Amino acid sequence: MTTRLTAGEVDLPSSPTMVDDGPDHPILAGEDLGFSNFSGVRNNSLDDLFQRILRRNCDAVCHLAAPCDPDLRTVVGKIASEIAADLEPRMLRAAPRKGRTSDPRGNGRANEPLDVWARGILVWTGGQYLPPSSGSRHIKDSGPTRLAADNIAPFFESLMLFVAYHIMEYFNKYIATGVLKPEDCRLILPINNDMDAEHTDIDSADYVDPTDFFSVKCGMFPLSSSVERQKAPAPHLVFADTEIVEHPEYYEKAELRLATKTKALFFNQHNRRFAWGLAVSNCTIHAYVFGPDDIWASTAMDISGIKGRRAFISLLVNWSLCAVDRLGFDPSIRYVVDRCVGGPYLEIDVHEMDRSTGKVEPRTYYSQRCLGAADRLAGCHARYFAASASPESMDKPAFLIKDGWMTAGSGSAGDTRESLVLNVLHAEFDQSNEFSGSFVQLVSAGPVYINRGDTVVTDSTATAFVRLPSTTQDAAKGSDSAQGSSSSKVQRSSDRQVRQHRRTVAKWAGKTISEADNQCQVVVAVADAMAALNAAYEKCKILHGSISNRAILLQQTADGIKGVLAEFDYANYAGAGANAVESPEPMLFQSIRCLENPEIIRTFLDDCESLLNLVCWLGSFGVNKAQRAAYVAGLPKKPKLPIMDWNQGTAADIADAKRLHVATEDTFHSFILSKMRNGPLRRLAEAMYRVLFLHPGCYGTALIANERLEQVADIEIRDALSRIPAINGMHDPLVLRHAFLAAIIANLLEVLARHRNAALAALAAGAADEDSAMATLPSAGPSMKHYRDEVPVAGPSKRPRY
């Protein structure tokens, strides 16, 4: 039996994004490579990103959920007005009279749930104080009496349930008359409460009472559902998170909690285009839209007033009737339950050119494995799927599908940077015996299409957020009482390039490097990737710009394992300037120079440094899921590894940590090498470090004074270094090393070739012997001959800026 999952159909055999990685269960979980924080350490970069891209007081936020059909918008307006009109007299009747009080959380009369919910809404808005005997807690301060966050939650749910009850009645009436279709309707209901007592996303210096924050999740359910708090559905049916905060001065922290949970929503829901969220402070509600480049916050909806209540009721009705793409979901990616093929899987539509007709037609692919989920709050939200042409062949994928919000390249038809670069590389190397097959082979690439009524539009930030501002601007004028101190902060103004939602299909080249069987496979793949990077640079002057675990694939060939280079979204020509409108993600693999200055011209050595960072990370935590899971399971008994600092904090924080860790051979050994697992990757990391950071005349990353350069014994090397201008009498070794670019590349290729040969020998002898086979490698350092053969630079005026 095959079932395409819609709202309410939640009888999944197992959670489609949390399926166990066992022999009897398909994998539909995103590979996170340990990107999430360990041991609850706060990630300051999320706070920094949120504040940079947040835009407040956007009146159009709530209108984004309005249906496209003008007739349906009329229906929404009528229903919302009638619900609001029914709520007011019920709240008036629920107000306490002389000599009588009522408990809104009591059972009331069983046949009048609306009156029970109305009394709860009345208490929330300050129309009645609860007696102490009711068990509810009030916060007493110099101002008015306020309910604690854990007491606000049930009253917030009362408002949602009151609206849902009416929506169910009105929608059924309109369905009976043919005005609405059942498949277009849904209920938005609270599904569970979750209080986070640890507050790991809040500064440790701030003491916050556990009742200061409360979380409520909202889910999508069919009209046949009972109007009450529901059990948690499958993860892909969770719609939005709500953060409730007691004190307005903690509102910004509640926003950060909302951002953290929305980031998890993007990771767990593979068909998320954008996300909604709510934040509540006392009687004030703000709605949020989380897009690829911007986060928009609505104007305040004050539930204590009629206008604010009607605004929030209209939003709930819109959510219940609008198309799923207005809820932030992608209708071209569908969750399917087919018990005949062993569990849930995804249907993914890709529009491809039909060669026989010349028309663009949708083709459906099938996947049970998400190789990489969207692991960031903002950005391209790239996802990777191992796919096949039929459900029956999903265990043997033939295609790699990438879905994401990409910036357009300079080619025709809105081609992305990746498709343009790969066309150049394949034209150059497809006839080459040495590098044929070293780069991923595209099958098709094109935009994602969304149905808007009777028309079909390409999905982009211009069409998805047409009613919202396209740029992040300064803080809006005026103040908002629920924003705390945020109104005094000035936000950066920056123009955004339009992103297009695109989907590419490539021939299956193998699993990612973070799914290797052992370290020797990773060594071979890294060596092949380095050779391919160098070939692209030497022949085409192309820099990759985004080395990560997703950029290197492990291909099984007749001759053994082979590394294939993918992920050219940030590629650029050498010397052409910054290679992307946003920094490549994740930051843990970026070079120090690129972290310190995202606008700097990237060089080939930045790609090489990223390759070393990848080797260190995999060598520290494991080369596959099983090894990383074992590490995470033992975290409470283990100290924090210094390399975790490469993935926590702002870009400047990470750059400082990396400079410290690679400053000298001793610090690299102390902070990184000594904490890595024994094996081939540790030896490879040591050898690569010596090549990249221990070049003649400038060792490590410490700044070098002019007088130290004069002490270099080799005259030719000293002459080359002296041609590079100093800044305030100091030289940066990461700039000086570009005087020896060719020598560093030659040494790096030699080192990787030696390690590759030893790894292949170990694989041929059996995985059990990999460590002993790699132990035979010589520990030779960089060849001085390559440095002396380097042609000295002509002079500062003829060098690109670094």
Side-chain angles (χ1 to χ4, degrees):
M1 181 180 69
T2 302
T3 306
R4 276 150 190 81
L5 300 178
T6 57
E9 297 184 69
V10 298
D11 55 339
L12 290 176
S14 54
S15 164
T17 56
M18 297 292 190
V19 178
D20 293 336
D21 186 7
D24 299 325
H25 299 278
I27 303 173
L28 210 58
E31 169 61 82
D32 66 357
L33 193 62
F35 290 155
S36 55
N37 291 337
F38 292 107
S39 304
V41 178
R42 183 188 180 191
N43 192 337
N44 295 316
S45 60
L46 182 65
D47 190 0
D48 177 68
L49 173 66
F50 183 82
Q51 296 300 333
R52 280 194 294 111
I53 67 177
L54 174 64
R55 182 175 182 185
R56 300 188 184 278
N57 298 330
C58 296
D59 295 329
V61 166
C62 294
H63 299 296
L64 181 66
C68 298
D69 189 336
D71 293 335
L72 291 183
R73 290 200 294 271
T74 301
V75 171
V76 167
K78 183 177 180 181
I79 293 176
S81 297
E82 292 181 0
I83 294 175
D86 182 64
L87 175 60
E88 303 308 321
R90 291 182 186 274
M91 291 178 65
L92 182 63
R93 290 198 300 269
R97 298 176 183 176
K98 185 176 181 180
R100 179 176 69 86
T101 60
S102 62
D103 183 354
R105 294 196 296 182
N107 291 329
R109 285 176 287 179
N111 61 343
E112 293 186 3
L114 293 175
D115 287 332
V116 176
W117 293 326
R119 284 197 295 271
I121 299 168
L122 178 68
V123 174
W124 180 19
T125 59
Q128 171 188 354
Y129 294 136
L130 290 181
S133 60
S134 68
S136 291
R137 184 174 67 86
H138 287 81
I139 302 300
K140 296 289 186 179
D141 58 11
S142 57
T145 301
R146 295 197 304 262
L147 289 173
D150 56 336
N151 290 138
I152 294 176
F155 303 147
F156 170 77
E157 292 180 2
S158 293
L159 179 54
M160 291 192 66
L161 295 174
F162 184 93
V163 176
Y165 189 95
H166 279 290
I167 285 175
M168 179 180 63
E169 291 187 335
Y170 284 117
F171 281 10
N172 285 330
K173 184 187 304 183
Y174 281 113
I175 289 172
T177 59
V179 176
L180 298 180
K181 298 178 181 179
E183 59 270 21
D184 296 335
C185 304
R186 67 192 69 86
L187 295 179
I188 304 297
L189 298 172
I191 56 177
N192 74 308
N193 288 345
D194 174 36
M195 184 184 297
D196 294 335
E198 295 182 358
H199 302 292
T200 57
D201 53 3
I202 296 173
D203 293 334
S204 58
D206 298 337
Y207 172 74
V208 182
D209 189 280
T211 56
D212 286 336
F213 297 96
F214 204 84
S215 300
V216 176
K217 292 184 183 296
C218 306
M220 303 180 298
F221 297 88
L223 291 180
S224 58
S225 303
S226 57
V227 181
E228 60 184 0
R229 183 190 304 166
Q230 298 288 326
K231 294 181 180 179
H236 71 282
L237 292 177
V238 175
F239 169 58
D241 280 287
T242 301
E243 283 298 317
I244 301 174
V245 62
E246 170 195 334
H247 296 284
E249 56 266 31
Y250 292 152
Y251 190 79
E252 287 188 359
K253 299 183 186 298
E255 288 182 316
L256 183 58
R257 285 165 55 89
L258 179 62
T260 302
K261 294 184 178 182
T262 302
K263 174 184 171 183
L265 203 64
F266 280 119
F267 183 84
N268 288 321
Q269 296 183 339
H270 305 319
N271 62 341
R272 265 290 179 182
R273 298 165 56 248
F274 61 89
W276 288 86
L278 296 171
V280 181
S281 173
N282 287 334
C283 295
T284 303
I285 300 177
H286 289 83
Y288 294 79
V289 173
F290 294 82
D293 290 313
D294 296 273
I295 300 172
W296 296 275
S298 71
T299 51
M301 293 174 278
D302 187 355
I303 304 304
S304 64
I306 295 176
K307 182 179 179 181
R309 287 196 290 273
R310 289 190 174 183
F312 186 61
I313 290 171
S314 296
L315 178 62
L316 292 176
V317 179
N318 276 325
W319 282 348
S320 301
L321 190 57
C322 68
V324 292
D325 65 280
R326 291 297 179 96
L327 296 177
F329 294 100
D330 185 351
S332 65
I333 298 181
R334 299 172 293 279
Y335 286 83
V336 179
V337 173
D338 189 345
R339 292 170 175 83
C340 297
V341 297
Y345 62 88
L346 297 174
E347 287 182 343
I348 305 174
D349 293 338
V350 179
H351 284 77
E352 300 177 349
M353 177 72 71
D354 188 328
R355 298 182 184 277
S356 60
T357 63
K359 296 182 179 180
V360 175
E361 300 289 347
R363 178 184 177 185
T364 301
Y365 293 86
Y366 306 86
S367 174
Q368 280 185 318
R369 296 183 65 195
C370 178
L371 301 176
D375 55 14
R376 287 293 183 268
L377 179 66
C380 65
H381 286 158
R383 298 174 174 94
Y384 305 79
F385 305 96
S388 62
S390 67
E392 294 75 20
S393 59
M394 287 187 294
D395 58 332
K396 297 180 180 179
F399 305 98
L400 175 66
I401 296 179
K402 180 170 69 174
D403 177 89
W405 293 75
M406 311 300 179
T407 54
S410 58
S412 60
D415 288 337
T416 59
R417 186 187 304 261
E418 181 178 46
S419 57
L420 294 171
V421 169
L422 284 174
N423 288 338
V424 172
L425 293 175
H426 284 295
E428 178 68 33
F429 295 110
D430 275 356
Q431 305 303 318
S432 167
N433 293 330
E434 184 178 3
F435 294 107
S436 177
S438 295
F439 307 96
V440 68
Q441 180 73 55
L442 285 184
V443 174
S444 64
V448 174
Y449 294 92
I450 297 291
N451 291 321
R452 292 283 170 82
D454 297 330
T455 62
V456 178
V457 299
T458 57
D459 198 17
S460 69
T461 51
T463 57
F465 309 114
V466 64
R467 303 182 184 185
L468 296 175
S470 60
T471 60
T472 301
Q473 299 178 354
D474 293 341
K477 295 181 179 179
S479 61
D480 191 333
S481 60
Q483 294 176 13
S485 61
S486 63
S487 59
S488 63
K489 292 186 177 180
V490 178
Q491 300 168 356
R492 189 182 70 175
S493 176
S494 59
D495 295 328
R496 302 288 186 183
Q497 287 192 21
V498 173
R499 290 180 184 268
Q500 191 177 71
H501 187 189
R502 293 181 67 90
R503 202 160 286 156
T504 61
V505 181
K507 290 183 179 179
W508 179 254
K511 54 191 178 182
T512 64
I513 198 173
S514 55
E515 294 182 300
D517 296 329
N518 51 60
Q519 291 194 13
C520 283
Q521 289 185 350
V522 175
V523 171
V524 174
V526 168
D528 291 342
M530 176 62 198
L533 286 171
N534 183 61
Y537 175 69
E538 290 292 331
K539 296 288 187 179
C540 307
K541 296 302 176 186
I542 288 176
L543 303 174
H544 188 280
S546 183
I547 296 297
S548 72
N549 63 304
R550 297 174 180 175
I552 305 175
L553 306 177
L554 294 169
Q555 186 177 50
Q556 194 69 43
T557 66
D559 299 328
I561 202 76
K562 176 183 175 64
V564 178
L565 206 56
E567 277 298 277
F568 286 88
D569 289 315
Y570 299 97
N572 206 356
Y573 289 97
N579 65 342
V581 295
E582 60 180 335
S583 297
E585 296 174 330
M587 289 190 291
L588 68 94
F589 298 132
Q590 291 184 51
S591 69
I592 296 172
R593 293 174 63 257
C594 294
L595 288 168
E596 291 176 338
N597 183 5
E599 303 300 324
I600 204 167
I601 294 179
R602 287 163 170 82
T603 70
F604 185 73
L605 291 182
D606 293 315
D607 281 348
C608 297
E609 188 177 329
S610 294
L611 206 59
L612 170 60
N613 294 339
L614 175 61
V615 169
C616 293
W617 189 265
L618 293 175
S620 297
F621 298 112
V623 297
N624 52 50
K625 260 185 190 176
Q627 291 183 5
R628 289 189 291 276
Y631 176 84
V632 173
L635 270 180
K637 301 177 183 179
K638 296 178 180 178
K640 174 184 169 232
L641 295 186
I643 198 174
M644 291 180 186
D645 291 336
W646 294 11
N647 193 40
Q648 293 164 176
T650 63
D653 295 333
I654 296 174
D656 289 343
K658 289 184 177 181
R659 270 201 184 263
L660 172 63
H661 295 166
V662 301
T664 66
E665 194 168 10
D666 289 339
T667 58
F668 185 68
H669 183 275
S670 175
F671 286 114
I672 305 299
L673 284 182
S674 63
K675 307 298 189 297
M676 292 176 66
R677 298 164 180 254
N678 287 325
L681 288 182
R682 179 172 173 173
R683 297 185 181 89
L684 179 60
E686 182 178 14
M688 292 178 68
Y689 171 80
R690 288 177 176 173
V691 175
L692 287 170
F693 292 99
L694 301 185
H695 43 88
C698 37
Y699 296 90
T701 60
L703 297 181
I704 302 171
N706 280 329
E707 54 268 21
R708 277 189 58 194
L709 290 184
E710 298 174 359
Q711 300 173 7
V712 177
D714 193 299
I715 298 177
E716 292 184 358
I717 292 176
R718 185 172 66 237
D719 181 61
L721 294 176
S722 65
R723 295 177 183 273
I724 300 176
I727 300 177
N728 297 325
M730 305 295 288
H731 290 275
D732 186 349
L734 301 184
V735 175
L736 289 175
R737 68 182 179 185
H738 288 88
F740 311 102
L741 176 62
I744 292 175
I745 294 175
N747 272 318
L748 204 54
L749 290 172
E750 281 189 8
V751 164
L752 285 164
R754 293 201 310 268
H755 282 256
R756 183 183 190 277
N757 292 335
L760 289 175
L763 290 172
D769 298 326
E770 69 171 82
D771 194 62
S772 59
M774 296 295 288
T776 62
L777 274 173
S779 57
S783 170
M784 293 301 296
K785 176 180 182 300
H786 289 302
Y787 293 113
R788 295 192 181 93
D789 289 345
E790 178 80 66
V791 177
V793 292
S797 62
K798 296 185 179 181
R799 293 176 55 82
R801 65 176 179 85
Y802 290 108

